[in-house]
Amino acid sequence: MRFTYAEAMTDPSYHLPLARAAEAAGYSSISVADSLVYPEESDSRYPYTPDGSREFLEDKDFIETFTLIAAMGAVTSTIRFTPFVLKLAVRPPVLVAKQASSIACLTGGRLALGVGLSPWREDFQVMGVPWEGRGRRMNESIEVVRGLTRGGYFEYHGEFFDFPPVKMSPTPAEPVPILVGGHSRPALRRAARLGDGWMHGGGDAEELDVLLAGLAAARAEEGTADRPFEIHVISLDAYTVDGVKRLEDKGVTDVIVGFRMPYIKGPDTEPLAKKVEKLERFAESVVSKVNP
């Protein structure tokens, strides 16, 4: 089992020392949150809070995803970075391919690109991207990113993107894994068809079992069940050795753990030293016992 340390919406000066601490403690990855703007008014619902509220996001600090990964990559040597998740559908995929390739090359292949749709219409609006057709646009964006990051000439002719053979340099020695987030049936099918893995956004154990069953069914339908596939989940089971073993039995490859409730209004007041203490304590009590 691999362990991903999650910390977001905190003091920007904490990210680099936390990345170093997580690497030293034995975590496999560190997740990197993505947020573009906070709209003053919105009728959109956040899908991962019980009541759909979004107010906890106001005035929270989000360093741009690739910028933060580059900075953390420069002060670490082994830990992997997993955007959780990059709002790909509102971004130009050719630019994302260039950013992902550059990060992968600079870090020695320590990027697994988590991608998803944005739940905010306002993200689409401010980026000049239509809300309509976002799912199909997302599918094409994944194909463009994958094609361009593999190296060599690549051309694409689709509904949203159309360009002649082009290539990028440098590209990483190994393909950048693409992990698809989302709980809807289309998202699970997208992960099964186009992804190298799936990223879970949280929820109770019963809901997770339903999602894992749906993912397995989608992989069978898409003919990808035998392909190597990462499954990243958020679960209370991840916080005990026995719980981790239960998740392993369900096919989970990566667990995402954090040590404070993120959906709280106002600034994060927890000191850096306390955060380091928490991640180290968990590494001693769980990570070192699961992966001795």
Side-chain angles (χ1 to χ4, degrees):
M1 181 67 76
R2 293 179 297 211
F3 291 84
T4 298
Y5 172 62
E7 182 62 88
M9 298 176 282
T10 192
D11 185 325
S13 69
Y14 289 2
H15 289 295
L16 271 58
L18 285 172
R20 289 192 292 263
E23 180 175 80
Y27 291 81
S28 304
S29 306
I30 189 164
S31 69
V32 184
D34 180 42
S35 181
L36 294 172
V37 295
Y38 183 83
E40 183 175 12
E41 296 181 2
S42 176
D43 57 5
S44 299
R45 292 174 55 83
Y46 187 69
Y48 303 113
T49 52
D51 60 357
S53 62
R54 66 185 182 95
E55 286 74 19
F56 72 93
L57 290 164
E58 187 169 11
D59 296 325
K60 293 290 176 59
D61 291 322
F62 287 91
I63 302 297
E64 192 278 320
T65 303
F66 286 119
T67 303
L68 180 54
I69 292 174
M72 291 192 294
V75 300
T76 57
S77 59
T78 61
I79 201 162
R80 193 187 196 204
F81 303 101
T82 52
F84 184 53
V85 290
L86 188 81
K87 296 178 175 68
L88 178 59
V90 303
R91 286 173 163 83
V94 174
L95 176 59
V96 171
K98 185 65 177 180
Q99 292 169 311
S101 287
S102 299
I103 291 289
C105 289
L106 287 171
T107 62
R110 291 187 286 136
L111 174 69
L113 186 61
V115 298
L117 287 167
S118 171
W120 314 121
R121 285 178 176 267
E122 292 79 12
D123 279 344
F124 288 82
Q125 181 180 11
V126 299
M127 294 296 289
V129 177
W131 173 260
E132 294 74 20
R134 59 194 178 279
R136 300 192 307 278
R137 180 184 294 273
M138 177 74 171
N139 294 343
E140 290 194 11
S141 294
I142 292 173
E143 292 172 344
V144 168
V145 171
R146 188 181 297 283
L148 288 172
T149 55
R150 281 178 171 164
Y153 285 101
F154 174 75
E155 62 183 292
Y156 195 84
H157 307 286
E159 177 183 359
F160 300 97
F161 307 104
D162 192 304
F163 52 85
V166 296
K167 67 179 177 179
M168 291 182 171
S169 184
T171 51
E174 299 293 332
V176 176
I178 298 177
L179 313 174
V180 179
H183 289 189
S184 68
R185 178 171 170 77
L188 297 178
R189 292 188 67 89
R190 182 176 296 119
R193 184 172 68 257
L194 300 174
D196 301 295
W198 173 68
M199 302 192 88
H200 171 231
D204 61 33
E206 183 177 349
E207 181 187 9
L208 175 58
D209 287 344
V210 171
L211 290 168
L212 290 175
L215 180 64
R219 294 179 66 197
E221 291 169 5
E222 296 292 339
T224 59
D226 295 330
R227 191 172 67 191
F229 197 82
E230 300 181 22
I231 298 177
H232 296 236
V233 308
I234 299 171
S235 170
L236 289 177
D237 270 345
Y239 294 87
T240 67
V241 173
D242 288 343
V244 170
K245 291 178 179 177
R246 287 193 293 271
L247 292 172
E248 284 182 325
D249 290 341
K250 295 176 182 181
V252 173
T253 61
D254 298 72
V255 290
I256 304 165
V257 295
F259 307 107
R260 69 181 178 90
M261 174 59 69
Y263 304 135
I264 296 175
K265 294 181 184 179
D268 173 21
T269 59
E270 186 176 58
L272 174 61
K274 189 67 174 177
K275 294 182 184 297
V276 173
E277 177 188 338
K278 287 181 177 180
L279 73 85
E280 289 178 340
R281 186 186 310 128
F282 177 81
E284 290 178 8
S285 63
V286 178
V287 177
S288 64
K289 290 180 172 57
V290 173
N291 300 322

